[in-house]
């Protein structure tokens, strides 16, 4: 069930004897923050650990001998029995996790998770071992150690007829017989149970026959003990060494039980030796790691925990060893089995084995908990950022949470609202109204209730708000409401005004007229006179034939008859209006009948000249797009309408994929693609009708594609279609991935090369220093100078190698990017450089700097290099340095300007290369890698670095860094 370092077929912790291994197991049981217990076959407690005692509030004596129903409800007991029966039937080692409630001695109910392991001996059910985890995550610290007595040896001898010839004192005690009772008696007569035991008789016979030592153990009913006998035969008989191993057998069973416990718990369990190397890891521990069990066992703890592993030379370990603390806990990130980053919580205690001190620890994966905490923080920020008021009510309609917008809208402080009844701001009828809306919501199956209501602020008149709420269930089963409110007072007032003028607004831009039953004009508006070219006087009383031909008049009469009969589906006619100038204007007329005794027809006429021109232009545009689509290289082009239905498609990509265009035209994307693919691309398709253009990458038919969606406008600048342009970037992406892999290999090579150079360099330096120490008296001045040059060169080489190591680790050793206050970073750098600043009498002016997304330690390197260079290359005058920041859309540009010696523009690219120097080492010391490090760090942050300079005019280094979301 478990594997450990150098394991064969021995028991758990094979490097220890039974007593030490058992002590380790007990230490482990008392270290784990879970309740552990053993029940007999009847469900009665026979063993409990301290954690279970603490959780339940009972003493161990109160629990032992009691049925498990003391802690669990009858339904939960029945459920556990069913789980155990299922395991026994399917021969499973453990049941699944069971969530239930434990009733404490104080009458409280604690939510727990329970995992059970059935115990069987010889196929017979003997009871269960259980692990109970308190889901309230209460932390406990406990250790306890026990020792077991050793067993003394006993010995006796028998002749070749198995008669006793010798028996020592311990054997008399063990066998409960005196020497006088046994000497001369046959072994099988005195102990008939041994004679009947095939194992014992066979061992004696084999020893006499083979004349080789033999060992066996068995349970002796007469002695009521387990004995281990070692037989040493001779030609005249057998000498037998006997040990009472009852306690050992008991411990072995206990060890087996503890071993099953270690593999049953969900947490990772491990032990290390005095050197910090793993000697045991359980399955749960292995499942968290990127390494196999074989790779972990024998490996140093840092293989799993990295730099956070507490080594035996660290102060934390010494505190544990000296007893200053009982345990050590920490959280750290590790690499999971799939290469993913996992966050784990680790706790370990001291484990003494003889003169050596190791550790036994428990590791829990808390990645999901950390992600949940991060999400919770993010959502809390969102709630506080939105402009709408947000609130949470409990079942009693009392506020439990409100955001700042809600407090501002109501005029109450947040503290005044929390705990107050909703009627405080929603009025006396809130409960009645809200319950009615909730009932309506539940009846219709809706998840959100939306309605308008009045809100009563602390001061001033009531305001009208759009209120939304949905139901929310608290962790204890209580139901409440989450709601939002938005002030719509102005909107409602505008809607009232809009309603009064709705008819006019709908028709004011079109020509409006009324004709009587004889077809003569009785009313026309200004727009109609403008359209026809006739004055109002000329039109009123005139027959409609003045502006329309006979065919148009007949069409109008037919529509009028349909309107009167109530059968008109579309009371509209398209025709040409004859103007006073004799021109013909294409128009669209919509008719309706006025109510009353007189049969009058109202007409709304719209000039269609521009629309006709637009339609013609649209047809020409569509022909152009169709030509583009049919000949689009290395991709595809399509047009689609507001229903997201393709109207035109084409391109070489469709030919490559052997997709007929006829299969696509006329098909909406919802029918064309799988649902998950539609969900991915639909927002981009719809955004074009809001005037947005987007680009995105996706995969389809095994190809990697770069897609663009953009609006298509007519001559009137109206969006009438969307265009989809696709490029096949499969080869480009494959090349990019190859390039990234190549860069990674080069980076690893640089690291390995620079790392491996350290050792020979240390040897060269050591021997040079040894020569200097031993032969200083015999070297002349030239020899000493040569030796000094060699030592100095070796030291410079070490600095260059260290710099190259640092350069190669920028990507691999960097911290995650997070919001960083550059003011703090620069102040830390100034503190580090304070001595140089004072020595050079430097003046440094710093403007207010922003927050950026970055790695604070790496950004500190950048500013330290730039400021150090500005001081070094200041010339003869005291350094004058200025640090400033400007916003450039989504980035910040940070500038470090000096008034030093400047740089030749021809060298501005070279200075960012590794080991490129513009001055000799004698002029200015250094490795020549500082600016290369700066460039690499800034590029890791998604920015760039540039320099503007002229000799003698000073230098300005500018770095671009991404702004945080809140700046």
């Amino acid at each position: 069930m478990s594997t450990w370092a150098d394991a064969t077929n021995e028991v758990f912790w094979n490097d220890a004897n039974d007593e030490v291994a058992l002590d380790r197991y007990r230490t482990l049981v008392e270290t784990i923050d879970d309740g552990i217990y053993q029940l007999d076959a009847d469900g009665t407690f026979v063993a409990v650990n301290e954690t279970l005692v603490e959780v339940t509030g009972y003493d161990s004596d109160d629990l032992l001998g009691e049925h498990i129903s003391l802690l669990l409800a009858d339904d939960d007991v029945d459920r556990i029995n069913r789980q155990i029966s299922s395991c026994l039937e399917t021969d499973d080692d453990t049941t699944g996790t069971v969530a239930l409630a434990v009733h404490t001695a104080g009458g409280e109910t604690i939510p727990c998770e329970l995992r059970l392991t059935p115990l069987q001996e010889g196929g017979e059910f003997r009871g269960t071992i259980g692990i109970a985890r308190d889901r309230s995550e209460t932390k406990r610290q406990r250790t306890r150690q026990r020792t077991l007595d050793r067993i003394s040896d006993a010995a006796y001898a028998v002749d070749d007829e198995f008669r006793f010839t010798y028996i020592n004192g311990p054997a008399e005690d063990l066998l409960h017989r005196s020497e006088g009772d046994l000497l001369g008696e046959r072994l099988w007569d005195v102990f008939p149970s041994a004679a009947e035991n095939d194992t014992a008789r066979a061992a004696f016979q084999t020893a006499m026959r083979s004349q080789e030592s033999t060992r066996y153990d068995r349970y002796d009913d007469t002695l009521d003990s387990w004995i281990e006998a070692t037989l040493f035969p001779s030609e005249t008989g057998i000498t037998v060494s006997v040990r009472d191993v009852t306690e050992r057998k008991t411990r072995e069973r206990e060890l087996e039980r503890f071993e099953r416990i270690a593999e049953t718990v969900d947490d990772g369990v491990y032990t290390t030796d005095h050197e910090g190397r793993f000697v045991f890891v359980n399955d749960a521990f292995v499942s968290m790691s990127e390494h196999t069990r074989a790779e972990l066992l024998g490996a140093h703890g840092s293989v799993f925990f990295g730099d956070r592993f507490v080594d035996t030379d660290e102060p934390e370990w010494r505190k544990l060893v000296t007893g200053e603390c009982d345990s050590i806990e920490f959280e750290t990130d590790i690499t999971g089995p799939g290469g993913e980053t996992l966050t784990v919580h680790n706790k370990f205690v001291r484990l003494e084995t003889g003169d050596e001190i190791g550790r036994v620890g428990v590791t829990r994966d808390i990645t999901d908990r950390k992600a949940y905490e991060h999400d919770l923080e993010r959502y809390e920020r969102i709630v506080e950022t939105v402009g709408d008021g947000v609130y949470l009510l409990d079942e009693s309609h009392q506020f439990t949470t409100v955001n700042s917008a809600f407090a501002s809208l109501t005029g109450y402080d947040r503290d005044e609202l929390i705990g107050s009844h909703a009627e405080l701001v929603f009025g006396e009828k809130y409960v009645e109204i809200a319950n009615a809306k909730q009932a309506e919501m539940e009846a219709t199956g809706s998840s959100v209730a939306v309605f308008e209501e009045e809100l009563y602020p602390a001061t001033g008149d009531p305001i009208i708000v759009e209120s939304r709420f949905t139901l929310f269930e608290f962790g204890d089963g209580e139901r409440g409401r989450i709601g939002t409110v938005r002030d719509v007072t102005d909107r409602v007032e505008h809607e009232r005004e809009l309603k009064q003028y709705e008819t006019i607004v709908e028709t004011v831009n079109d020509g409006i007229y009324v004709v009587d039953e004889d077809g003569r004009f009785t009313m026309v508006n200004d727009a109609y006179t403008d359209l026809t070219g006739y004055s109002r006087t000329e039109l009123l009383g005139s027959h409609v034939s003045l502006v329309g031909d006979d065919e148009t008049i007949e069409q109008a009469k037919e529509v009028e008859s349909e309107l009167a009969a109530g059968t008109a589906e579309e009371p509209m006619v398209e025709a040409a209006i004859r103007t006073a100038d004799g021109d013909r204007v294409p128009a669209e007329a919509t008719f309706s009948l006025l109510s009353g005794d007189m049969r009058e027809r109202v007409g709304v006429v719209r000039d269609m000249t521009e629309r006709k021109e637009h339609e013609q232009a649209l047809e020409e545009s569509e022909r152009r797009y169709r030509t583009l689509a049919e000949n689009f290289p290395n991709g595809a082009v399509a047009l689609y309408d507001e229903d997201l239905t393709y109207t035109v498609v084409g391109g070489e990509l469709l030919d490559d994929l052997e997709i007929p265009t006829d299969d696509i035209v006329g098909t909406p994307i919802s029918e064309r693609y799988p649902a998950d693919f539609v969900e991915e691309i639909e927002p981009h398709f719809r955004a074009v009708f809001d005037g947005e253009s987007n680009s995105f990458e996706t995969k389809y038919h095994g190809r990697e594609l770069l897609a663009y969606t953009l609006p298509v406008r007519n001559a009137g600048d109206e969006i009438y279609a969307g265009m989809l342009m696709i490029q096949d970037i499969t080869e480009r992406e494959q090349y990019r991935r190859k390039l990234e892999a190549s860069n990674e290999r080069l980076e690893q090579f640089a690291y390995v090369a620079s790392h491996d150079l350290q050792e020979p360099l240390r040897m060269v330096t050591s021997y040079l220093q040894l020569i200097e120490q031993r032969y200083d008296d015999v070297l002349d001045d030239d020899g000493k100078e040569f030796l000094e040059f060699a030592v100095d060169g070796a030291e410079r080489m070490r600095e260059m190698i260290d710099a190259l190591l640092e350069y190669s680790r920028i990507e691999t050793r960097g911290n995650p990017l997070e919001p960083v206050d550059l003011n703090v970073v620069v102040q830390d750098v100034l503190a580090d450089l304070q001595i140089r600043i004072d020595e050079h009498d430097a003046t440094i002016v710093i403007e207010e700097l922003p927050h950026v997304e970055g790695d604070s330690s790496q950004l500190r390197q950048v500013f330290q290099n730039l400021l150090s260079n500005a001081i070094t290359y200041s010339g003869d005058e005291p350094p004058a340095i200025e640090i400033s920041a400007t916003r450039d859309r989504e980035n910040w540009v940070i500038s470090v300007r000096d008034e030093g010696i400047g740089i030749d523009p021809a060298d501005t690219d070279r200075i960012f290369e590794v080991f490129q120097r513009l001055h000799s080492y004698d002029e200015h010391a250094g490795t020549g890698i500082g600016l290369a490090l700066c460039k690499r760090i800034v590029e890791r942050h998604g920015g760039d670095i540039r320099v503007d300079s002229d000799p003698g005019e000073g230098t300005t280094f500018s770095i671009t860094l991404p702004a945080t979301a809140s700046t």
Side-chain angles (χ1 to χ4, degrees):
M1 179 162 54
S2 304
T3 308
W4 46 89
D6 304 322
T8 56
N9 293 322
E10 299 167 357
V11 296
F12 183 35
W13 276 312
N14 64 310
D15 60 332
N17 58 38
D18 290 347
E19 293 177 344
V20 173
L22 181 58
D23 188 49
R24 291 178 177 178
Y25 266 121
R26 285 176 169 161
T27 301
L28 169 62
V29 168
E30 295 304 337
T31 301
I32 295 174
D33 284 342
D34 292 332
I36 302 176
Y37 64 88
Q38 181 180 353
L39 302 177
D40 61 18
D42 296 325
T44 299
F45 286 107
V46 296
V48 294
N49 72 342
E50 288 298 326
T51 300
L52 190 69
V53 171
E54 292 175 14
V55 169
T56 62
Y58 289 99
D59 291 336
S60 59
D61 293 339
D62 294 336
L63 292 174
L64 296 176
E66 290 292 334
H67 193 266
I68 192 172
S69 59
L70 176 67
L71 302 182
L72 303 180
D74 293 341
D75 291 344
D76 288 337
V77 173
D78 293 339
R79 186 150 56 108
I80 291 172
N81 290 334
R82 290 195 296 271
Q83 292 270 14
I84 294 172
S85 298
S86 176
C87 285
L88 294 174
E89 292 174 0
T90 58
D91 202 23
D92 287 339
D93 287 341
T94 61
T95 69
T97 299
V98 181
L100 43 71
V102 171
H103 302 284
T104 68
E108 297 177 345
T109 300
I110 299 178
C112 291
E113 286 182 356
L114 186 65
R115 183 184 295 273
L116 302 172
T117 300
L119 299 176
Q120 298 186 77
E121 292 184 8
E124 183 179 354
F125 175 61
R126 294 292 189 180
T128 56
I129 292 176
I131 311 294
R133 171 167 297 171
D134 180 356
R135 298 312 299 169
S136 62
E137 298 295 342
T138 302
K139 296 295 183 183
R140 306 172 186 85
Q141 296 182 345
R142 53 207 176 269
T143 58
R144 187 173 65 180
Q145 295 183 333
R146 303 187 182 98
T147 58
L148 299 174
D149 296 332
R150 296 183 177 277
I151 302 174
S152 300
D153 291 336
Y156 66 87
V158 296
D159 59 18
D160 56 359
E161 294 182 356
F162 303 110
R163 298 182 182 276
F164 284 98
T165 60
Y166 168 79
I167 179 169
N168 68 358
E172 289 179 303
D173 296 336
L174 175 66
L175 301 178
H176 306 299
R177 299 285 196 283
S178 68
E179 184 178 22
D181 295 336
L182 294 176
L183 291 178
E185 298 293 331
R186 292 184 77 251
L187 170 67
W188 312 124
D189 296 333
V190 176
F191 297 102
S193 60
E196 298 171 357
N197 187 281
D198 294 339
T199 301
R201 183 177 287 276
F204 274 85
Q205 292 174 347
T206 299
M208 287 297 294
R209 182 175 60 255
S210 65
Q211 288 296 297
E212 292 180 357
S213 61
T214 304
R215 183 170 60 184
Y216 73 92
D217 55 32
R218 69 180 184 86
Y219 180 79
D220 192 299
D221 292 327
T222 303
L223 301 177
D224 192 23
S225 302
W226 277 90
I227 62 170
E228 179 189 78
T230 304
L231 284 60
F232 302 94
S234 66
E235 293 181 359
T236 59
I238 298 175
T239 301
V240 182
S241 173
V242 182
R243 298 178 63 196
D244 184 342
V245 294
T246 303
E247 292 186 21
R248 191 193 76 188
K249 286 292 185 177
T250 302
R251 286 196 298 273
E252 286 176 354
R253 287 196 296 269
E254 191 171 359
L255 285 173
E256 180 181 2
R257 184 168 74 249
F258 278 113
E259 182 181 358
R260 298 184 72 176
I261 291 172
E263 291 298 349
T264 301
V265 295
D266 295 329
D267 295 331
V269 179
Y270 67 91
T271 62
T272 66
D273 59 17
H274 66 287
E275 295 179 342
R277 300 185 179 278
F278 290 115
V279 296
F280 168 77
V281 290
N282 72 344
D283 291 341
F285 191 84
V286 175
S287 69
M288 298 182 203
S289 173
E290 64 177 327
H291 301 289
T292 64
R293 192 189 305 272
E295 292 170 340
L296 287 171
L297 293 176
H300 192 262
S302 58
V303 170
F304 183 93
F305 292 107
D307 294 338
R308 189 58 187 88
F309 181 75
V310 180
D311 215 335
T312 53
D313 60 351
E314 296 185 31
E316 283 181 284
W317 177 259
R318 287 194 290 273
K319 288 182 179 180
L320 185 67
V321 171
T322 59
E324 293 181 53
C325 62
D326 295 328
S327 63
I328 296 177
E329 296 184 55
F330 61 82
E331 293 179 2
T332 189
D333 290 338
I334 64 170
T335 302
E340 73 278 19
T341 298
L342 301 178
T343 302
V344 298
H345 173 270
N346 181 55
K347 174 183 176 182
F348 64 87
V349 298
R350 182 175 59 186
L351 178 65
E352 296 186 17
T353 306
D355 296 331
E356 295 179 352
I357 299 178
R359 78 193 75 193
V360 55
V362 178
T363 303
R364 178 172 296 175
D365 184 353
I366 60 172
T367 306
D368 291 341
R369 193 191 80 194
K370 286 293 184 182
Y372 168 79
E373 292 173 352
H374 176 73
D375 288 344
L376 181 60
E377 180 182 1
R378 182 178 61 188
Y379 284 120
E380 287 176 349
R381 288 187 179 182
I382 291 172
V383 168
E384 287 300 327
T385 303
V386 296
D388 293 345
V390 180
Y391 64 88
L392 176 61
L393 296 175
D394 61 20
E395 207 166 43
S396 301
H397 309 295
Q398 292 180 329
F399 292 108
T400 61
T401 302
V402 296
N403 71 345
S404 57
F406 188 84
S408 176
L409 185 63
T410 62
Y412 290 100
D413 291 337
R414 199 191 300 254
D415 292 339
E416 291 180 284
L417 290 168
I418 301 301
S420 297
H421 196 276
E423 291 180 349
L424 176 67
V425 294
F426 290 118
E428 297 178 355
K429 293 186 177 181
Y430 168 75
V431 175
E432 178 183 345
I433 295 172
N435 287 345
K437 292 295 181 182
Q438 179 174 328
E440 180 183 331
M441 181 177 66
E442 293 174 343
T444 60
S446 174
S447 59
V448 179
V450 183
F451 56 99
E452 291 181 0
E453 62 179 330
E454 287 188 337
L455 183 142
Y456 300 86
T459 59
D461 297 329
I463 59 177
I464 300 175
V465 295
E466 180 183 82
S467 184
R468 296 169 174 262
F469 73 76
T470 188
L471 301 182
F472 175 80
E473 187 167 322
F474 293 88
D476 56 6
E478 181 181 351
R479 299 183 74 188
R481 297 190 181 112
I482 294 178
T484 63
V485 292
R486 176 179 298 174
D487 186 355
V488 294
T489 305
D490 292 339
R491 190 196 75 192
V492 171
E493 184 61 31
H494 291 158
E495 287 175 353
R496 290 195 187 105
E497 294 177 2
L498 183 63
K499 208 165 189 180
Q500 297 174 6
Y501 299 100
E502 184 176 3
T503 303
I504 297 174
V505 171
E506 290 296 329
T507 58
V508 70
N509 292 326
D510 296 327
I512 302 173
Y513 69 86
V514 180
V515 296
D516 60 20
E517 58 185 344
D518 295 327
R520 296 186 182 276
F521 291 107
T522 59
M523 191 281 290
V524 293
N525 71 346
D526 290 340
Y528 193 75
T529 62
D530 294 339
L531 178 62
T532 62
Y534 292 101
S535 67
R536 190 184 306 271
T537 303
E538 290 174 313
L539 287 169
L540 293 177
S542 298
H543 195 270
V544 293
S545 57
L546 178 66
V547 296
D549 56 25
D550 294 341
E551 183 179 354
T552 302
I553 294 172
E554 287 300 320
Q555 288 179 330
K557 287 182 178 180
E558 290 178 5
V559 173
E560 185 176 330
S561 298
E562 292 175 355
L563 286 170
T567 59
E569 295 181 358
E570 293 186 2
M572 183 176 60
V573 172
E574 287 188 13
I577 292 178
R578 189 168 51 243
T579 68
D581 295 333
D583 295 333
R584 298 180 70 81
V585 178
E588 177 184 82
T590 303
F591 304 125
S592 63
L593 295 180
L594 292 178
S595 58
D597 296 334
M598 297 182 62
R599 184 170 178 178
E600 289 184 303
R601 181 179 76 240
V602 177
V604 180
V605 182
R606 178 167 296 173
D607 187 348
M608 296 174 55
T609 304
E610 291 186 3
R611 194 178 83 181
K612 289 293 185 182
E613 291 173 351
H614 290 171
E615 289 176 352
Q616 183 178 357
L618 183 61
E619 291 177 358
E620 294 175 357
S621 175
E622 186 171 330
R623 283 195 295 272
R624 290 195 296 270
Y625 283 128
R626 190 180 301 278
T627 301
L628 170 65
E630 292 174 352
N631 298 276
F632 191 75
N634 191 36
V637 177
L639 294 180
Y640 57 89
D641 58 23
E642 291 193 59
D643 296 328
L644 307 189
T645 298
Y646 289 115
T647 57
V648 177
V649 294
E652 292 181 358
L653 179 61
L654 298 178
D655 296 335
D656 294 344
L657 297 177
E658 298 181 353
I659 300 176
T661 58
D662 292 342
D663 291 351
I664 303 176
V665 173
T667 305
I669 64 171
S670 59
E671 298 178 8
R672 178 70 193 166
Y673 307 118
D676 57 342
F677 190 64
V678 172
E679 183 179 357
E680 175 187 351
I681 67 175
E682 184 174 354
H684 302 295
F685 275 58
R686 292 200 181 280
V688 303
F689 295 103
D690 294 327
E692 296 181 19
S693 298
N694 290 294
S695 64
F696 57 95
E697 293 184 11
T698 188
K699 291 184 179 181
Y700 186 65
H701 271 283
R703 302 291 183 97
E704 297 189 58
L705 306 174
L706 176 59
Y708 301 87
T709 54
L710 58 156
V712 179
R713 303 176 185 271
N714 58 22
D717 201 34
E718 298 172 335
I719 300 173
Y720 72 91
M723 175 180 286
L724 172 67
M725 301 178 65
I726 298 176
Q727 287 183 300
D728 187 347
I729 59 171
T730 305
E731 293 184 1
R732 188 185 77 183
E733 288 298 296
Q734 291 173 347
Y735 176 76
R736 180 183 62 79
R737 286 192 286 271
K738 290 181 180 178
L739 184 61
E740 290 177 350
S742 176
N743 288 340
E744 184 177 350
R745 288 193 296 272
L746 288 174
E747 180 178 316
Q748 183 65 21
F749 172 76
Y751 168 74
V752 173
S754 57
H755 184 275
D756 291 349
L757 286 172
Q758 293 279 12
E759 183 57 34
L761 184 59
R762 278 195 291 269
M763 182 181 294
V764 170
T765 303
S766 297
Y767 278 105
L768 287 173
Q769 293 173 342
L770 188 61
I771 292 172
E772 184 178 23
Q773 294 170 1
R774 292 188 178 183
Y775 303 103
D776 183 69
D777 296 338
V778 300
L779 291 174
D780 59 15
D781 291 341
D782 287 342
K784 292 179 180 180
E785 182 178 12
F786 295 157
L787 186 59
E788 182 179 350
F789 286 157
V791 172
D792 183 60
E795 180 62 23
R796 288 169 57 195
M797 176 62 77
R798 183 191 63 76
E799 293 176 355
M800 294 176 69
I801 291 174
D802 289 341
L804 184 59
L805 270 171
E806 185 176 7
Y807 183 80
S808 69
R809 291 172 173 171
I810 287 174
E811 293 291 341
T812 58
R813 296 294 178 88
N815 297 318
L817 303 187
E818 58 185 8
V820 175
D821 186 350
L822 291 183
N823 295 291
V824 176
V825 173
V826 171
Q827 289 301 322
D828 290 343
V829 172
L830 293 180
D832 293 340
L833 297 176
Q834 191 59 51
I835 295 177
R836 291 197 62 198
I837 293 171
D838 295 340
E839 288 176 348
H840 291 79
D841 194 20
T843 300
I844 302 176
V845 178
I846 306 171
E847 295 183 2
E848 182 68 20
L849 299 178
H851 289 68
V852 299
E853 291 289 336
D855 180 339
S856 60
S857 62
Q858 290 188 346
L859 292 177
R860 184 170 176 171
Q861 287 181 278
V862 171
F863 284 102
Q864 183 146 351
N865 277 318
L866 295 180
L867 290 175
S868 179
N869 285 349
I871 294 172
T872 299
Y873 300 105
S874 61
D876 297 330
E877 298 296 325
I881 305 168
E882 179 183 349
I883 304 176
S884 59
T886 56
R887 185 65 181 260
D888 182 13
R889 288 177 292 185
E890 297 180 356
N891 298 309
W892 283 99
V893 179
I894 315 299
S895 299
V896 180
R897 172 169 175 72
D898 64 58
E899 298 178 2
I901 63 177
I903 302 172
D904 191 324
D907 295 324
T908 54
D909 290 333
R910 187 160 67 91
I911 61 174
F912 292 110
E913 297 178 6
V914 177
F915 301 137
Q916 293 296 313
R917 301 172 49 86
L918 302 184
H919 305 276
S920 68
Y921 189 83
D922 292 335
E923 292 178 292
H924 296 288
T927 62
I929 201 173
L931 289 175
L933 274 171
C934 292
K935 185 174 187 295
R936 188 86 181 278
I937 290 171
V938 172
E939 288 177 347
R940 181 191 172 230
H941 285 68
D944 58 54
I945 183 170
R946 66 179 187 275
V947 60
D948 297 305
S949 181
D950 285 304
E953 299 297 327
T955 303
T956 299
F957 283 91
S958 299
I959 59 176
T960 301
L961 296 171
T964 62
S966 60
T967 60

